[in-house]
Amino acid sequence: EDKVVQSPLSLVVHEGDTVTLNCSYEVTNFRSLLWYKQEKKAPTFLFMLTSSGIEKKSGRLSSILDKKELFSILNITATQTGDSAVYLCAVESPYNNNDMRFGAGTRLTVKP
Amino acid sequence: DAGVTQSPTHLIKTRGQQVTLRCSPKSGHDTVSWYQQALGQGPQFIFQYYEEEERQRGNFPDRFSGHQFPNYSSELNVNALLLGDSALYLCASSRWDLSKNIQYFGAGTRLSVL
C-alpha cells in the first residue's frame, strides 16, 4: 500500500535555529513530491520536486528529493515565529491524476 | 484574482443528517478535488471532478458524493452523517491539462457531527 511518512511529528525550536523536516514515501509510479505549509486551514504550496538532487529554494526554505532512497527533506534556516505551522508532504502518482497522498505532517513551533 | 473559496466555514450537524459543502475553484482552473482532514492528520483524498464527472475516487463510502457544475464549481454531499465524519473538508483546484500540476487549496469547511 502506498504511504507517506513524515518525521518528526512535532518540533519545537527557538528563533534563529535551523530545522530539517523529513518525508519518506513508498508510492508506485511516482510523479512528484510536494511540500505545503498549513498555518490554520488552507495548505499553501511551497515546492514541487520531480528530479533527484536538484535543490529548490525560496528565501530561507529549501528542499531536495532523493528518488533512489525515496525521501525528501525540507530545510528552514534562521527560523522565525511566522514559520510556526504544520508542514505537509504529499506524493503524486501519474496513474491517479491529481490524487495526492499526504503524510500526517510535522508541527513546527518556533519560540521567540 | 480570487483563490479557492469554500462555504460554509463552519457547520454543525447531528448524526444521520445530510450535509452539502461548496467550492469555487481558482480562476482558470477546471479540476476540483476534495479532501477530508481529521484532527492531527494529513488530508485524505475523497474524489476529484473534471468536466462534470468524477474522475478519481479515494477510499470513501458511497455516502460521500459530489457534483461539478458547468462553471467548474463543485459540491460535496455526505449522507447519513456519522460522528467520525467530523473533520476539516478541503477543496483544491487545479488545471487538468498541466503535466506538472499544483493544487491550490481553499480554507476548508469545519464540520462537526454531534
Side-chain angles (χ1 to χ4, degrees):
Chain A
E1 182 182 328
D2 293 352
K3 60 181 180 181
V4 179
V5 178
Q6 292 187 245
S7 63
L9 292 181
S10 66
L11 193 55
V12 180
V13 300
H14 288 92
E15 273 191 317
D17 288 349
T18 294
V19 298
T20 298
L21 310 183
N22 303 290
C23 175
S24 64
Y25 62 90
E26 292 179 26
V27 176
T28 51
N29 303 302
F30 171 91
R31 183 200 302 204
S32 64
L33 185 145
L34 298 95
W35 284 96
Y36 284 85
K37 177 182 181 182
Q38 188 175 28
E39 290 181 79
K40 290 185 179 176
K41 287 188 176 179
T44 54
F45 171 77
L46 294 175
F47 299 111
M48 172 185 271
L49 303 157
T50 56
S51 302
S52 277
I54 299 174
E55 185 183 52
K56 292 280 184 88
K57 197 171 173 64
S58 176
R60 296 176 294 103
L61 278 66
S62 63
S63 184
I64 198 162
L65 174 68
D66 186 327
K67 291 169 74 173
K68 182 179 178 184
E69 300 297 330
L70 307 183
F71 78 91
S72 173
I73 59 173
L74 175 68
N75 282 316
I76 309 175
T77 59
T79 52
Q80 303 170 357
T81 55
D83 295 328
S84 295
V86 174
Y87 290 83
L88 295 165
C89 168
V91 177
E92 194 178 19
S93 164
Y95 287 105
N96 295 300
N97 191 32
N98 284 341
D99 174 8
M100 293 195 296
R101 184 171 293 271
F102 281 84
T106 293
R107 179 172 294 280
L108 174 65
T109 302
V110 181
K111 293 188 171 183
Chain B
D1 176 26
V4 180
T5 58
Q6 292 186 243
S7 64
T9 54
H10 294 86
L11 205 50
I12 300 174
K13 293 286 187 178
T14 56
R15 279 182 301 173
Q17 285 190 311
Q18 178 265 342
V19 69
T20 297
L21 311 182
R22 296 176 176 82
C23 172
S24 292
K26 181 178 168 65
S27 178
H29 286 183
D30 55 12
T31 303
V32 173
S33 300
W34 286 92
Y35 293 82
Q36 180 194 66
Q37 187 176 23
L39 205 59
Q41 300 295 318
Q44 283 201 321
F45 175 72
I46 303 175
F47 44 53
Q48 177 192 80
Y49 277 85
Y50 169 67
E51 288 189 331
E52 301 178 50
E53 288 188 16
E54 183 182 292
R55 300 291 176 162
Q56 298 286 343
R57 189 177 183 93
N59 189 25
F60 278 80
D62 292 346
R63 298 186 298 108
F64 289 77
S65 64
H67 189 78
Q68 186 180 34
F69 300 94
N71 67 353
Y72 309 120
S73 67
S74 177
E75 288 182 350
L76 163 66
N77 300 293
V78 187
N79 294 321
L81 284 167
L82 304 173
L83 296 180
D85 295 332
S86 296
L88 179 67
Y89 288 85
L90 293 165
C91 166
S93 74
S94 56
R95 283 182 58 184
W96 182 265
D97 64 352
L98 292 181
S99 60
K100 291 186 178 181
N101 216 334
I102 298 169
Q103 293 189 18
Y104 292 86
F105 285 84
T109 294
R110 172 75 63 189
L111 172 65
S112 298
V113 182
L114 306 178

